[in-house]
PDB file of all heavy atoms in Angstrom:
ATOM      1  N   GLY A   1      33.864  30.405  22.781  1.00 88.00           N
ATOM      2  CA  GLY A   1      33.491  29.155  22.189  1.00 88.00           C
ATOM      3  C   GLY A   1      32.939  28.228  23.315  1.00 88.00           C
ATOM      4  O   GLY A   1      31.973  27.427  23.074  1.00 88.00           O
ATOM      5  N   ALA A   2      33.526  28.303  24.503  1.00 89.00           N
ATOM      6  CA  ALA A   2      33.016  27.455  25.619  1.00 89.00           C
ATOM      7  C   ALA A   2      31.662  27.955  26.173  1.00 89.00           C
ATOM      8  O   ALA A   2      30.896  27.117  26.665  1.00 89.00           O
ATOM      9  CB  ALA A   2      34.056  27.468  26.703  1.00 89.00           C
ATOM     10  N   LEU A   3      31.402  29.253  26.128  1.00 89.00           N
ATOM     11  CA  LEU A   3      30.247  29.780  26.808  1.00 89.00           C
ATOM     12  C   LEU A   3      29.054  30.088  25.842  1.00 89.00           C
ATOM     13  O   LEU A   3      27.977  30.399  26.306  1.00 89.00           O
ATOM     14  CB  LEU A   3      30.633  31.112  27.507  1.00 89.00           C
ATOM     15  CG  LEU A   3      31.651  30.939  28.638  1.00 89.00           C
ATOM     16  CD1 LEU A   3      32.108  32.313  29.149  1.00 89.00           C
ATOM     17  CD2 LEU A   3      31.122  30.126  29.777  1.00 89.00           C
ATOM     18  N   LEU A   4      29.261  29.994  24.555  1.00 84.00           N
ATOM     19  CA  LEU A   4      28.259  30.413  23.564  1.00 84.00           C
ATOM     20  C   LEU A   4      26.998  29.620  23.756  1.00 84.00           C
ATOM     21  O   LEU A   4      25.905  30.186  23.809  1.00 84.00           O
ATOM     22  CB  LEU A   4      28.791  30.231  22.151  1.00 84.00           C
ATOM     23  CG  LEU A   4      27.903  30.788  21.023  1.00 84.00           C
ATOM     24  CD1 LEU A   4      27.671  32.298  21.189  1.00 84.00           C
ATOM     25  CD2 LEU A   4      28.574  30.513  19.673  1.00 84.00           C
ATOM     26  N   SER A   5      27.064  28.352  23.842  1.00 83.00           N
ATOM     27  CA  SER A   5      25.848  27.506  24.020  1.00 83.00           C
ATOM     28  C   SER A   5      25.163  27.803  25.284  1.00 83.00           C
ATOM     29  O   SER A   5      23.915  27.868  25.373  1.00 83.00           O
ATOM     30  CB  SER A   5      26.253  26.022  23.911  1.00 83.00           C
ATOM     31  OG  SER A   5      25.045  25.230  24.056  1.00 83.00           O
ATOM     32  N   ALA A   6      25.918  27.966  26.384  1.00 84.00           N
ATOM     33  CA  ALA A   6      25.355  28.196  27.725  1.00 84.00           C
ATOM     34  C   ALA A   6      24.591  29.530  27.736  1.00 84.00           C
ATOM     35  O   ALA A   6      23.534  29.653  28.385  1.00 84.00           O
ATOM     36  CB  ALA A   6      26.483  28.230  28.772  1.00 84.00           C
ATOM     37  N   ILE A   7      25.102  30.588  27.013  1.00 85.00           N
ATOM     38  CA  ILE A   7      24.477  31.851  26.953  1.00 85.00           C
ATOM     39  C   ILE A   7      23.066  31.679  26.295  1.00 85.00           C
ATOM     40  O   ILE A   7      22.047  32.259  26.765  1.00 85.00           O
ATOM     41  CB  ILE A   7      25.288  32.858  26.159  1.00 85.00           C
ATOM     42  CG1 ILE A   7      26.545  33.171  26.919  1.00 85.00           C
ATOM     43  CG2 ILE A   7      24.485  34.143  25.885  1.00 85.00           C
ATOM     44  CD1 ILE A   7      27.588  33.941  26.079  1.00 85.00           C
ATOM     45  N   GLY A   8      22.977  30.960  25.195  1.00 80.00           N
ATOM     46  CA  GLY A   8      21.713  30.739  24.504  1.00 80.00           C
ATOM     47  C   GLY A   8      20.672  29.964  25.399  1.00 80.00           C
ATOM     48  O   GLY A   8      19.499  30.368  25.487  1.00 80.00           O
ATOM     49  N   ILE A   9      21.182  28.920  26.010  1.00 78.00           N
ATOM     50  CA  ILE A   9      20.316  28.090  26.856  1.00 78.00           C
ATOM     51  C   ILE A   9      19.789  28.925  28.022  1.00 78.00           C
ATOM     52  O   ILE A   9      18.637  28.837  28.432  1.00 78.00           O
ATOM     53  CB  ILE A   9      21.033  26.830  27.275  1.00 78.00           C
ATOM     54  CG1 ILE A   9      21.357  25.929  26.077  1.00 78.00           C
ATOM     55  CG2 ILE A   9      20.221  26.049  28.312  1.00 78.00           C
ATOM     56  CD1 ILE A   9      22.264  24.720  26.413  1.00 78.00           C
ATOM     57  N   ALA A  10      20.726  29.679  28.628  1.00 79.00           N
ATOM     58  CA  ALA A  10      20.349  30.487  29.751  1.00 79.00           C
ATOM     59  C   ALA A  10      19.310  31.523  29.388  1.00 79.00           C
ATOM     60  O   ALA A  10      18.397  31.858  30.199  1.00 79.00           O
ATOM     61  CB  ALA A  10      21.577  31.165  30.426  1.00 79.00           C
ATOM     62  N   GLY A  11      19.370  32.066  28.157  1.00 79.00           N
ATOM     63  CA  GLY A  11      18.371  33.030  27.717  1.00 79.00           C
ATOM     64  C   GLY A  11      17.024  32.459  27.656  1.00 79.00           C
ATOM     65  O   GLY A  11      16.030  33.055  28.125  1.00 79.00           O
ATOM     66  N   MET A  12      16.891  31.219  27.111  1.00 76.00           N
ATOM     67  CA  MET A  12      15.590  30.545  27.160  1.00 76.00           C
ATOM     68  C   MET A  12      15.180  30.207  28.544  1.00 76.00           C
ATOM     69  O   MET A  12      13.948  30.306  28.852  1.00 76.00           O
ATOM     70  CB  MET A  12      15.697  29.264  26.270  1.00 76.00           C
ATOM     71  CG  MET A  12      15.849  29.506  24.813  1.00 76.00           C
ATOM     72  SD  MET A  12      15.725  28.033  23.817  1.00 76.00           S
ATOM     73  CE  MET A  12      13.985  27.666  24.001  1.00 76.00           C
ATOM     74  N   ASP A  13      16.075  29.889  29.409  1.00 76.00           N
ATOM     75  CA  ASP A  13      15.749  29.549  30.820  1.00 76.00           C
ATOM     76  C   ASP A  13      15.193  30.726  31.522  1.00 76.00           C
ATOM     77  O   ASP A  13      14.303  30.676  32.341  1.00 76.00           O
ATOM     78  CB  ASP A  13      16.991  28.968  31.540  1.00 76.00           C
ATOM     79  CG  ASP A  13      16.651  28.643  32.950  1.00 76.00           C
ATOM     80  OD1 ASP A  13      15.813  27.744  33.196  1.00 76.00           O
ATOM     81  OD2 ASP A  13      17.276  29.193  33.881  1.00 76.00           O
ATOM     82  N   ARG A  14      15.773  31.943  31.215  1.00 78.00           N
ATOM     83  CA  ARG A  14      15.233  33.155  31.857  1.00 78.00           C
ATOM     84  C   ARG A  14      13.782  33.353  31.462  1.00 78.00           C
ATOM     85  O   ARG A  14      12.989  33.845  32.251  1.00 78.00           O
ATOM     86  CB  ARG A  14      16.119  34.361  31.493  1.00 78.00           C
ATOM     87  CG  ARG A  14      17.336  34.494  32.346  1.00 78.00           C
ATOM     88  CD  ARG A  14      17.995  35.874  32.145  1.00 78.00           C
ATOM     89  NE  ARG A  14      18.591  36.005  30.833  1.00 78.00           N
ATOM     90  CZ  ARG A  14      19.803  35.618  30.539  1.00 78.00           C
ATOM     91  NH1 ARG A  14      20.521  34.966  31.401  1.00 78.00           N
ATOM     92  NH2 ARG A  14      20.312  35.801  29.316  1.00 78.00           N
ATOM     93  N   LEU A  15      13.497  33.049  30.227  1.00 79.00           N
ATOM     94  CA  LEU A  15      12.081  33.202  29.767  1.00 79.00           C
ATOM     95  C   LEU A  15      11.191  32.178  30.467  1.00 79.00           C
ATOM     96  O   LEU A  15      10.090  32.548  30.913  1.00 79.00           O
ATOM     97  CB  LEU A  15      11.988  32.995  28.224  1.00 79.00           C
ATOM     98  CG  LEU A  15      12.174  34.157  27.332  1.00 79.00           C
ATOM     99  CD1 LEU A  15      12.018  33.778  25.909  1.00 79.00           C
ATOM    100  CD2 LEU A  15      11.180  35.299  27.674  1.00 79.00           C
ATOM    101  N   VAL A  16      11.645  30.970  30.680  1.00 74.00           N
ATOM    102  CA  VAL A  16      10.920  29.933  31.340  1.00 74.00           C
ATOM    103  C   VAL A  16      10.639  30.323  32.760  1.00 74.00           C
ATOM    104  O   VAL A  16       9.526  30.243  33.296  1.00 74.00           O
ATOM    105  CB  VAL A  16      11.633  28.554  31.304  1.00 74.00           C
ATOM    106  CG1 VAL A  16      10.942  27.574  32.197  1.00 74.00           C
ATOM    107  CG2 VAL A  16      11.606  28.027  29.836  1.00 74.00           C
ATOM    108  N   ARG A  17      11.629  30.917  33.450  1.00 73.00           N
ATOM    109  CA  ARG A  17      11.458  31.330  34.834  1.00 73.00           C
ATOM    110  C   ARG A  17      10.527  32.584  34.919  1.00 73.00           C
ATOM    111  O   ARG A  17      10.033  32.888  35.906  1.00 73.00           O
ATOM    112  CB  ARG A  17      12.800  31.660  35.460  1.00 73.00           C
ATOM    113  CG  ARG A  17      13.627  30.424  35.789  1.00 73.00           C
ATOM    114  CD  ARG A  17      14.870  30.688  36.555  1.00 73.00           C
ATOM    115  NE  ARG A  17      15.946  31.161  35.669  1.00 73.00           N
ATOM    116  CZ  ARG A  17      16.447  32.400  35.704  1.00 73.00           C
ATOM    117  NH1 ARG A  17      15.952  33.289  36.528  1.00 73.00           N
ATOM    118  NH2 ARG A  17      17.424  32.752  34.944  1.00 73.00           N
ATOM    119  N   PHE A  18      10.353  33.187  33.756  1.00 75.00           N
ATOM    120  CA  PHE A  18       9.432  34.364  33.624  1.00 75.00           C
ATOM    121  C   PHE A  18       8.082  33.856  33.180  1.00 75.00           C
ATOM    122  O   PHE A  18       7.219  34.719  32.750  1.00 75.00           O
ATOM    123  CB  PHE A  18      10.017  35.378  32.700  1.00 75.00           C
ATOM    124  CG  PHE A  18       9.677  36.796  33.013  1.00 75.00           C
ATOM    125  CD1 PHE A  18      10.242  37.392  34.115  1.00 75.00           C
ATOM    126  CD2 PHE A  18       8.799  37.515  32.263  1.00 75.00           C
ATOM    127  CE1 PHE A  18       9.964  38.662  34.419  1.00 75.00           C
ATOM    128  CE2 PHE A  18       8.437  38.805  32.553  1.00 75.00           C
ATOM    129  CZ  PHE A  18       9.031  39.435  33.646  1.00 75.00           C
ATOM    130  N   ASN A  19       7.856  32.561  33.107  1.00 75.00           N
ATOM    131  CA  ASN A  19       6.610  31.918  32.701  1.00 75.00           C
ATOM    132  C   ASN A  19       6.284  32.219  31.162  1.00 75.00           C
ATOM    133  O   ASN A  19       5.138  32.357  30.856  1.00 75.00           O
ATOM    134  CB  ASN A  19       5.433  32.414  33.543  1.00 75.00           C
ATOM    135  CG  ASN A  19       5.425  31.763  34.912  1.00 75.00           C
ATOM    136  OD1 ASN A  19       6.118  30.731  35.100  1.00 75.00           O
ATOM    137  ND2 ASN A  19       4.671  32.299  35.841  1.00 75.00           N
ATOM    138  N   VAL A  20       7.354  32.219  30.395  1.00 81.00           N
ATOM    139  CA  VAL A  20       7.163  32.333  28.935  1.00 81.00           C
ATOM    140  C   VAL A  20       7.945  31.239  28.310  1.00 81.00           C
ATOM    141  O   VAL A  20       9.123  31.003  28.635  1.00 81.00           O
ATOM    142  CB  VAL A  20       7.657  33.690  28.399  1.00 81.00           C
ATOM    143  CG1 VAL A  20       7.517  33.772  26.926  1.00 81.00           C
ATOM    144  CG2 VAL A  20       6.883  34.851  29.057  1.00 81.00           C
ATOM    145  N   LEU A  21       7.257  30.493  27.373  1.00 78.00           N
ATOM    146  CA  LEU A  21       7.969  29.397  26.639  1.00 78.00           C
ATOM    147  C   LEU A  21       8.203  29.857  25.238  1.00 78.00           C
ATOM    148  O   LEU A  21       7.290  30.358  24.517  1.00 78.00           O
ATOM    149  CB  LEU A  21       7.095  28.149  26.627  1.00 78.00           C
ATOM    150  CG  LEU A  21       6.772  27.527  27.955  1.00 78.00           C
ATOM    151  CD1 LEU A  21       6.001  26.284  27.789  1.00 78.00           C
ATOM    152  CD2 LEU A  21       8.071  27.227  28.772  1.00 78.00           C
ATOM    153  N   ALA A  22       9.435  29.686  24.800  1.00 79.00           N
ATOM    154  CA  ALA A  22       9.782  29.970  23.361  1.00 79.00           C
ATOM    155  C   ALA A  22      10.048  28.664  22.655  1.00 79.00           C
ATOM    156  O   ALA A  22      10.651  27.739  23.207  1.00 79.00           O
ATOM    157  CB  ALA A  22      11.051  30.897  23.321  1.00 79.00           C
ATOM    158  N   THR A  23       9.601  28.617  21.411  1.00 72.00           N
ATOM    159  CA  THR A  23       9.742  27.384  20.650  1.00 72.00           C
ATOM    160  C   THR A  23      11.138  27.192  20.234  1.00 72.00           C
ATOM    161  O   THR A  23      11.548  26.040  19.834  1.00 72.00           O
ATOM    162  CB  THR A  23       8.796  27.372  19.428  1.00 72.00           C
ATOM    163  OG1 THR A  23       9.142  28.548  18.587  1.00 72.00           O
ATOM    164  CG2 THR A  23       7.360  27.510  19.784  1.00 72.00           C
ATOM    165  N   SER A  24      11.989  28.170  20.197  1.00 68.00           N
ATOM    166  CA  SER A  24      13.399  28.033  19.762  1.00 68.00           C
ATOM    167  C   SER A  24      14.210  29.307  20.251  1.00 68.00           C
ATOM    168  O   SER A  24      13.614  30.278  20.596  1.00 68.00           O
ATOM    169  CB  SER A  24      13.534  27.876  18.279  1.00 68.00           C
ATOM    170  OG  SER A  24      13.238  29.108  17.583  1.00 68.00           O
ATOM    171  N   GLY A  25      15.562  29.161  20.170  1.00 68.00           N
ATOM    172  CA  GLY A  25      16.312  30.291  20.471  1.00 68.00           C
ATOM    173  C   GLY A  25      16.126  31.426  19.545  1.00 68.00           C
ATOM    174  O   GLY A  25      16.392  32.598  19.867  1.00 68.00           O
ATOM    175  N   ARG A  26      15.683  31.085  18.289  1.00 76.00           N
ATOM    176  CA  ARG A  26      15.443  32.163  17.313  1.00 76.00           C
ATOM    177  C   ARG A  26      14.432  33.230  17.847  1.00 76.00           C
ATOM    178  O   ARG A  26      14.605  34.396  17.625  1.00 76.00           O
ATOM    179  CB  ARG A  26      14.927  31.589  16.025  1.00 76.00           C
ATOM    180  CG  ARG A  26      15.973  30.967  15.115  1.00 76.00           C
ATOM    181  CD  ARG A  26      15.374  30.593  13.782  1.00 76.00           C
ATOM    182  NE  ARG A  26      16.428  30.096  12.919  1.00 76.00           N
ATOM    183  CZ  ARG A  26      16.701  28.796  12.764  1.00 76.00           C
ATOM    184  NH1 ARG A  26      16.089  27.908  13.456  1.00 76.00           N
ATOM    185  NH2 ARG A  26      17.680  28.422  11.939  1.00 76.00           N
ATOM    186  N   ALA A  27      13.425  32.697  18.484  1.00 80.00           N
ATOM    187  CA  ALA A  27      12.334  33.608  18.992  1.00 80.00           C
ATOM    188  C   ALA A  27      12.916  34.548  20.069  1.00 80.00           C
ATOM    189  O   ALA A  27      12.600  35.715  20.063  1.00 80.00           O
ATOM    190  CB  ALA A  27      11.159  32.778  19.562  1.00 80.00           C
ATOM    191  N   VAL A  28      13.766  33.969  20.928  1.00 82.00           N
ATOM    192  CA  VAL A  28      14.347  34.860  21.961  1.00 82.00           C
ATOM    193  C   VAL A  28      15.212  35.944  21.412  1.00 82.00           C
ATOM    194  O   VAL A  28      15.192  37.052  21.791  1.00 82.00           O
ATOM    195  CB  VAL A  28      15.135  33.997  23.004  1.00 82.00           C
ATOM    196  CG1 VAL A  28      15.626  34.850  24.153  1.00 82.00           C
ATOM    197  CG2 VAL A  28      14.357  32.811  23.456  1.00 82.00           C
ATOM    198  N   GLU A  29      16.075  35.518  20.432  1.00 81.00           N
ATOM    199  CA  GLU A  29      17.000  36.444  19.845  1.00 81.00           C
ATOM    200  C   GLU A  29      16.197  37.493  18.995  1.00 81.00           C
ATOM    201  O   GLU A  29      16.583  38.686  19.058  1.00 81.00           O
ATOM    202  CB  GLU A  29      17.941  35.700  18.894  1.00 81.00           C
ATOM    203  CG  GLU A  29      19.012  36.602  18.378  1.00 81.00           C
ATOM    204  CD  GLU A  29      20.034  35.798  17.526  1.00 81.00           C
ATOM    205  OE1 GLU A  29      20.831  35.096  18.219  1.00 81.00           O
ATOM    206  OE2 GLU A  29      20.019  35.848  16.292  1.00 81.00           O
ATOM    207  N   ALA A  30      15.127  37.060  18.294  1.00 83.00           N
ATOM    208  CA  ALA A  30      14.371  38.060  17.546  1.00 83.00           C
ATOM    209  C   ALA A  30      13.759  39.064  18.462  1.00 83.00           C
ATOM    210  O   ALA A  30      13.640  40.300  18.098  1.00 83.00           O
ATOM    211  CB  ALA A  30      13.289  37.303  16.740  1.00 83.00           C
ATOM    212  N   ALA A  31      13.338  38.614  19.673  1.00 85.00           N
ATOM    213  CA  ALA A  31      12.784  39.595  20.615  1.00 85.00           C
ATOM    214  C   ALA A  31      13.751  40.732  20.948  1.00 85.00           C
ATOM    215  O   ALA A  31      13.379  41.871  21.188  1.00 85.00           O
ATOM    216  CB  ALA A  31      12.357  38.863  21.913  1.00 85.00           C
ATOM    217  N   GLY A  32      15.039  40.373  20.995  1.00 84.00           N
ATOM    218  CA  GLY A  32      16.052  41.385  21.249  1.00 84.00           C
ATOM    219  C   GLY A  32      16.244  42.359  20.177  1.00 84.00           C
ATOM    220  O   GLY A  32      16.836  43.440  20.387  1.00 84.00           O
ATOM    221  N   ASP A  33      15.887  41.959  18.957  1.00 85.00           N
ATOM    222  CA  ASP A  33      16.128  42.852  17.737  1.00 85.00           C
ATOM    223  C   ASP A  33      14.822  43.532  17.289  1.00 85.00           C
ATOM    224  O   ASP A  33      14.775  44.111  16.199  1.00 85.00           O
ATOM    225  CB  ASP A  33      16.679  42.019  16.623  1.00 85.00           C
ATOM    226  CG  ASP A  33      18.168  41.788  16.763  1.00 85.00           C
ATOM    227  OD1 ASP A  33      18.797  42.627  17.389  1.00 85.00           O
ATOM    228  OD2 ASP A  33      18.702  40.784  16.306  1.00 85.00           O
ATOM    229  N   VAL A  34      13.751  43.467  18.070  1.00 88.00           N
ATOM    230  CA  VAL A  34      12.428  43.987  17.655  1.00 88.00           C
ATOM    231  C   VAL A  34      12.501  45.431  17.408  1.00 88.00           C
ATOM    232  O   VAL A  34      13.116  46.222  18.176  1.00 88.00           O
ATOM    233  CB  VAL A  34      11.355  43.632  18.709  1.00 88.00           C
ATOM    234  CG1 VAL A  34      10.142  44.559  18.577  1.00 88.00           C
ATOM    235  CG2 VAL A  34      10.963  42.182  18.571  1.00 88.00           C
TER     236      VAL A  34
END
């Protein structure tokens, strides 16, 4: 419960550091289920 939000934010941050912007966490998660 304490780490759930941090995990999602960090996932988007990894994309940003990879020079990719996602409009929402949904897009990042969908990428993992492609």
